[in-house]
Amino acid sequence: MNLLFIADPLASFKIHKDTTFAMMREAQRRGHSVAACEVQSISWQRGGKVMAQVRDIVLTGDADQWFTQTGTRRVALADFDGVLMRKDPPFDSEFFYATHLLEQAEREGAKVLNRPSALREHPEKLAIMEFPELIGPTLVTRDAQEIRAFHAEHQDIILKPLDGMGGMGIFRVGPDGRNLGSIIETLNRDGAQSVMVQKFLPEIVDGDKRVLVIGGKPVPYSLARIPQGNEVRGNLAAGGKGVAQPLSPSDWAIGEALGPILMQRGLLLVGVDVIGDCVTEINVTSPTCFQEIYDQTGCDVAALFLDALEQELGHN
């Protein structure tokens, strides 16, 4: 198969932990050809197909010069057997426009995963509200008084922006309400920006678990991101320690409940974040943790992903 990866700049990859790199490596191992481009390389001209300036690459196995470029070309996205949208967040206006271009490419015959419409319709924090039975007490609002009432009810809460990533902008406010007013002002900007407020889950001490769901089925191991020191955030980007572990019975139940629904919507790969028994986010843009799980458990997540990708694209 000829595969196109739409991703961040190749030079920025940290290949010892990059999930897109792991996908590319497994694809090449299976004999598939690999091309890459960035979102800004995609264009659409009147009367034509959605095109991209792409780089054809071969992975070298070298830790420093990890790929060689065999050529560049301008090509229609529909000419690839599969297009993998792996652009990292944030989900800003340019990402939003990219989903429209990719959706047009789909109309022209491209097979894009995860599906552009599903990326657009599943904001990663807000998407959990569709599944109230799987989440803890949660409020999404712009109203400062509603936030204060939620705090009065639950005492110990987490506040975060809907467009944050890597633990950015997450605050905890305890029973004393210290700095609640200042935090609300910072996050909701006088009512101009929505805020997600959740009851604090003390199980965070055991980790914010990333449960990967591939092809509608949970991967047998999660990566628990465990906060370090006095930090409340488990995100690896915020200094959390990643510990791979077998799924708990509730993790399995969550993965099996969400998997078929999300797969039907065109979400081949999803990263479900779980604290205790509660879902806290459903990540769909560029879920990670393939290599951390493989390094610690030997579970080849990239192989599981390529199995599902080949099945979805009809490649035997």
Side-chain angles (χ1 to χ4, degrees), residues 207-250:
D208 179 358
K209 296 174 286 186
R210 168 60 56 85
V211 176
L212 294 169
V213 182
I214 296 175
K217 300 175 183 178
V219 172
Y221 294 88
S222 70
L223 189 77
R225 287 80 54 87
I226 301 173
Q228 300 297 294
N230 294 323
E231 181 59 69
V232 72
R233 300 170 297 172
N235 310 73
L236 299 182
K241 179 182 179 182
V243 177
Q245 58 190 33
L247 296 192
S248 70
S250 66

